[in-house]
Amino acid sequence: MNLDISKMVDKYQLSETEEKILLYIINNIENVKDIGVRGIAKENYTSTTTIMNLAKKLGYSGFLDMYYNLNFTLKQKKSHFSCQKNNKYYGVDLEELLALIESKKISDFINLLVENKGEIIYTCGQGFSDPIVRYITKKLLVLGFNCIYSEAYESYDVNAIKAKLFITVSKSGETDFLVKVSESAKKNGIKVVSFTGDVDNTIAKISDINFKLYDMNTIDDRNKLATSFYSNILMLFEFLIGIYLEKNQKN
């Protein structure tokens, strides 16, 4: 997958050539010092002056200063965000995050994403779950999925839009509207994936794949108390997307 550096391009007003060079340096950070300025210029059909000007634009004193800073930043990020280091993922303990989740559910979900890359994916949430589902939707959209989000009060019929997959989030797993949509989807052969709290619930039972996460305040229906439930769903979803991307790259 190509790295998106559009915000950096806008911030420093980089030209197309400068953007291309910067991406080349980032993608070849392990070897770019040995390649050198002349080698980079040759590979990108440009001049060494263009590369030096790029370094200046980014606020570095020269090519080596740019290389060392980018190399340090990329290595630090990779180390910090690695899901393999000390069983942590983005600083979250994987054992805690995945404590209630069977590995088969993870592989089944990844397979569902692969199978439905060109199909319509329908998403819906309500209350505090709404922004979480919106995030999931946007993440899938930027990854090229055909994802449609619906407000809970809208009368969209999950079957009418010919969706193949329905994804929802519900802390209680008993939200009436979401239960009805899940039942409707299931009845019409649409796969249902849900993220819910750890207590047995209706949506979990309906779902083809249900990811349960520990809910520290099960009876706090109005979400007045502090909780890690919603943030953990985002972390879990990013973890799942990471696995999906790794599988895609290998294929």
Side-chain angles (χ1 to χ4, degrees):
M1 175 173 289
N2 293 325
L3 185 66
D4 184 351
I5 58 169
S6 55
K7 289 184 179 179
M8 186 179 289
V9 170
D10 291 339
K11 179 180 179 180
Y12 295 102
Q13 297 184 319
L14 303 183
S15 66
E16 287 186 16
T17 299
E18 289 169 336
E19 179 182 2
K20 180 183 175 184
I21 293 169
L22 181 56
L23 280 171
Y24 178 86
I25 292 172
I26 291 172
N27 290 331
N28 295 277
I29 198 68
E30 299 294 336
N31 308 308
V32 80
K33 184 183 177 185
D34 294 330
I35 295 172
V37 176
R38 287 190 174 82
I40 296 171
K42 183 178 179 181
E43 288 292 326
N44 290 275
Y45 303 100
T46 189
S47 66
T48 56
T49 302
T50 302
I51 298 170
M52 298 307 293
N53 287 339
L54 169 63
K56 298 284 186 181
K57 264 192 177 184
L58 296 176
Y60 302 113
S61 60
F63 169 71
L64 284 179
D65 186 27
M66 176 172 64
Y67 160 74
Y68 284 120
N69 276 279
L70 288 175
N71 186 43
F72 176 78
T73 300
L74 291 169
K75 283 188 174 180
Q76 284 293 100
K77 295 290 185 183
K78 186 175 181 181
S79 172
H80 181 69
F81 292 124
S82 172
C83 62
Q84 301 299 323
K85 186 177 181 181
N86 299 324
N87 208 30
K88 295 286 184 87
Y89 186 76
Y90 290 80
V92 174
D93 190 324
L94 278 178
E95 286 188 7
E96 181 179 340
L97 190 67
L98 303 176
L100 305 175
I101 299 171
E102 300 170 11
S103 58
K104 186 178 184 303
K105 289 187 177 182
I106 294 175
S107 59
D108 286 348
F109 177 69
I110 301 306
N111 289 335
L112 270 183
L113 288 182
V114 172
E115 292 166 8
N116 291 284
K117 185 61 186 286
E119 304 292 345
I120 294 176
I121 299 175
Y122 182 84
T123 63
C124 189
Q126 194 171 28
F128 283 95
S129 297
D130 175 86
I132 307 300
V133 178
R134 286 179 184 272
Y135 180 88
I136 289 173
T137 304
K138 289 180 179 180
K139 187 75 173 188
L140 291 173
L141 283 171
V142 299
L143 291 174
F145 288 90
N146 189 4
C147 202
I148 297 177
Y149 173 82
S150 172
E151 296 278 5
Y153 58 78
E154 291 175 341
S155 58
Y156 286 138
D157 185 344
V158 69
N159 311 303
I161 58 176
K162 298 181 174 19
K164 296 292 185 182
L165 179 61
F166 173 57
I167 300 176
T168 190
V169 174
S170 175
K171 182 171 178 283
S172 67
E174 302 294 346
T175 307
D176 187 58
F177 178 85
L178 297 177
V179 169
K180 289 178 180 177
V181 177
S182 299
E183 287 176 336
S184 177
K186 184 79 170 183
K187 181 180 177 181
N188 288 273
I190 298 170
K191 297 292 185 181
V192 178
V193 175
S194 64
F195 297 80
T196 70
D198 53 310
V199 176
D200 286 342
N201 60 81
T202 304
I203 291 178
K205 292 174 183 176
I206 296 170
S207 302
D208 293 278
I209 300 174
N210 171 245
F211 294 109
K212 280 189 173 68
L213 287 95
Y214 178 68
D215 180 5
M216 59 200 293
N217 293 302
T218 304
I219 61 175
D220 180 24
D221 291 337
R222 296 181 64 186
N223 198 32
K224 288 185 174 182
L225 302 176
T227 179
S228 60
F229 175 76
Y230 295 103
S231 58
N232 279 344
I233 286 181
L234 290 178
M235 294 309 309
L236 172 60
F237 186 73
E238 289 292 355
F239 173 73
L240 294 171
I241 289 300
I243 296 175
Y244 165 78
L245 293 175
E246 284 183 10
K247 182 172 181 177
N248 252 20
Q249 289 174 351
K250 289 177 182 177
N251 294 336

